[in-house]
Amino acid sequence: MASVQFLNVSHSYDPPGTPDDQRTWAVRDLSVTWEDGSANALLGPSGCGKTTLLNLISGLLPAPTRGKVLVDGRDVTGLGARERGIAQVFQFPVVYDSMNVFDNLAFPLRNEGMAESAVRGRVMEVARILDLSDRLKVPAARLNPADKQKISLGRGIVRESTAAVLLDEPLTVIDPKLKWGLRRKLREVQRALGKTMIYVTHDQHEALTFADDVTVVRDGVLVQKGSPKDLHDDPAAPFIGYFIGSPGMNVLACTLDDAGLDCGAFTVPLSPGLRGAASRATGALELGIRPEFVEAYPSAEEDSIPFTVTVVEDTGAYRILTLVTGDARIKARVAENFAAGEGETVGVRFPQAGIKLFAGGRRLV
Ligand SMILES: Nc1ncnc2c1ncn2[C@@H]1O[C@H](COP(=O)(O)OP(=O)(O)OP(=O)(O)O)[C@@H](O)[C@H]1O
């Protein structure tokens, strides 16, 4: 078990000697610590630098262009993958199809010259954790992709010295029917072993169900690191508010005027606190509000803004309305018995307590 730490890491794939101002940076001045024994997700849009970060941790990329990588406090910058004790599970299971499950799991230990009796004990233990004990003699080729992926994980965790396990979109090729079980198993294994794990995905559901701590990266920059609840309740950037939560946060471009936040088709009055923050901000303003905080009334209430209902999605427990006025489109979560349907006009209010303000792509309040 070990912590993994980045100190001011920047990485560019341009050839050595390229002047800094001509480089394209895949990772930019990123400092972060993934704590010993923690279950982490690394989340971000395609091309944001997730794979580069994983490869910098595992040693597949031995050294960043700038900065240091520490494993358990030890500077491993420049060391290769073997010297770091980091296991990696990829999208496609890495197993020897010709070997049975036992021999696949035993392979890393035998490679290290471990005595066969010790190999047996350790393999049995890992097979038990992974629910593979009844298939130890089955050739790996006969297993389904989810069980093959368990073997990949098993080969990673079978060495007790493994410092951390990196999971790179491990459910991508798994049949939807088997995904749920494997995701639960990954979580269970993390709990049982207390190993530091970093799970890379672009799927918010996978990230939030696996991890206690989520690191969000965009354009190679760390945007936020926190619990799933932190990210949901206090997103550091509009795209996190939109990305996390189902449906995501409503985000509207706006400007500040005497009446409040002018969102084009309507104006949202602001409390003195929010107005003060907005008036000091630099950069384009955006208003964020989660669908559950939007107040919708079946008839036009005093001070409410009229919107037209264009779509009603009934989840059985509540309804999600898509509401439109002018160019603005928002979603609101309402009760099952909400008495207005598609094509009707409803009144909408934006309570101050539910409003998040962003400026220049970053959270103000
Ligand atoms: N070997 C490489 N040579 C040059 N540029 C690269 C290389 N690998 C990645 N990049 C660039 O670095 C940036 C980050 O890519 P990376 O693959 O780390 O992102 P990612 O978040 O893992 O993306 P995805 O989710 O699509 O796999 C991208 O702009 C990508 O084009």
Side-chain angles (χ1 to χ4, degrees):
M1 288 192 290
S3 62
V4 176
Q5 196 173 6
F6 275 25
L7 297 177
N8 303 104
V9 166
S10 297
H11 191 72
S12 156
Y13 289 96
D14 294 321
T18 308
D20 270 10
D21 59 356
Q22 288 169 30
R23 281 185 182 278
T24 307
W25 296 98
V27 176
R28 287 186 280 171
D29 199 23
L30 199 142
S31 294
V32 64
T33 302
W34 290 285
E35 301 293 345
D36 184 5
S38 55
N40 305 278
L42 179 54
L43 192 62
S46 183
C48 72
K50 301 182 295 289
T51 304
T52 305
L53 287 174
L54 278 200
N55 291 344
L56 286 167
I57 297 170
S58 69
L60 281 179
L61 280 171
T65 310
R66 308 244 186 287
K68 287 184 178 173
V69 180
L70 277 60
V71 174
D72 212 14
R74 180 172 72 111
D75 186 354
V76 297
T77 318
L79 297 185
R82 282 182 156 267
E83 295 155 283
R84 298 189 184 193
I86 306 277
Q88 206 159 353
V89 177
F90 300 94
Q91 288 181 8
F92 293 93
V94 180
V95 298
Y96 295 113
D97 271 342
S98 58
M99 290 184 189
N100 64 27
V101 173
F102 185 99
D103 290 338
N104 263 287
L105 293 174
F107 191 83
L109 303 176
R110 287 173 175 154
N111 245 2
E112 281 179 342
M114 185 184 268
E116 203 51 33
S117 58
V119 168
R120 184 162 187 77
R122 186 70 192 145
V123 168
M124 301 302 264
E125 171 66 7
V126 167
R128 185 186 60 73
I129 294 170
L130 293 171
D131 292 335
L132 289 171
S133 304
D134 58 342
R135 273 160 292 170
L136 286 169
K137 296 283 172 233
V138 176
R142 297 230 307 265
L143 299 184
N144 68 38
D147 284 339
K148 284 188 179 179
Q149 198 58 304
K150 282 196 211 166
I151 298 179
S152 298
L153 175 64
R155 286 157 54 108
I157 60 177
V158 74
R159 283 195 192 94
E160 278 178 287
S161 60
T162 297
V165 181
L166 311 180
L167 303 153
D168 192 355
E169 306 250 10
L171 303 184
T172 307
V173 298
I174 308 299
D175 187 284
K177 285 203 297 281
L178 302 171
K179 252 186 192 169
W180 186 81
L182 182 56
R183 188 167 61 219
R184 204 193 49 188
K185 179 50 74 179
L186 294 174
R187 172 87 186 163
E188 235 176 77
V189 170
Q190 197 285 326
R191 289 284 186 274
L193 300 181
K195 282 207 191 282
T196 312
M197 290 200 189
I198 303 174
Y199 187 123
V200 164
T201 177
H202 56 258
D203 179 324
Q204 59 137 330
H205 186 62
E206 273 179 38
L208 302 184
T209 49
F210 175 80
D212 296 322
D213 203 79
V214 183
T215 305
V216 185
V217 176
R218 188 183 209 184
D219 296 334
V221 175
L222 175 69
V223 185
Q224 188 167 15
K225 185 170 181 292
S227 67
K229 184 167 166 44
D230 290 341
L231 268 61
H232 181 274
D233 294 353
D234 292 308
F239 89 95
I240 298 178
Y242 185 73
F243 211 47
I244 306 281
S246 183
M249 180 178 266
N250 297 299
V251 178
L252 298 158
C254 53
T255 52
L256 186 64
D257 67 19
D258 290 346
L261 283 178
D262 179 352
C263 298
F266 58 91
T267 297
V268 178
L270 283 186
S271 65
L274 287 177
R275 166 170 287 283
S279 62
R280 288 189 296 276
T282 51
L285 279 177
E286 286 169 293
L287 175 155
I289 186 163
R290 291 218 169 265
E292 52 271 38
F293 291 127
V294 173
E295 287 179 1
Y297 304 92
S299 55
E301 299 274 316
E302 198 186 338
D303 295 338
S304 68
I305 303 159
F307 276 74
T308 304
V309 181
T310 56
V311 181
V312 177
E313 293 162 76
D314 194 346
T315 68
Y318 53 84
R319 291 182 179 178
I320 300 291
L321 307 183
T322 302
L323 304 172
V324 172
T325 183
D327 288 343
R329 173 184 300 269
I330 61 168
K331 298 214 178 213
R333 191 167 107 177
V334 296
E336 265 295 283
N337 58 359
F338 189 81
E342 289 173 9
E344 295 187 58
T345 301
V346 297
V348 170
R349 282 202 201 117
F350 296 87
Q352 304 288 299
I355 292 178
K356 307 287 177 194
L357 270 184
F358 302 94
R362 287 304 182 122
R363 175 81 186 284
L364 275 180
V365 272

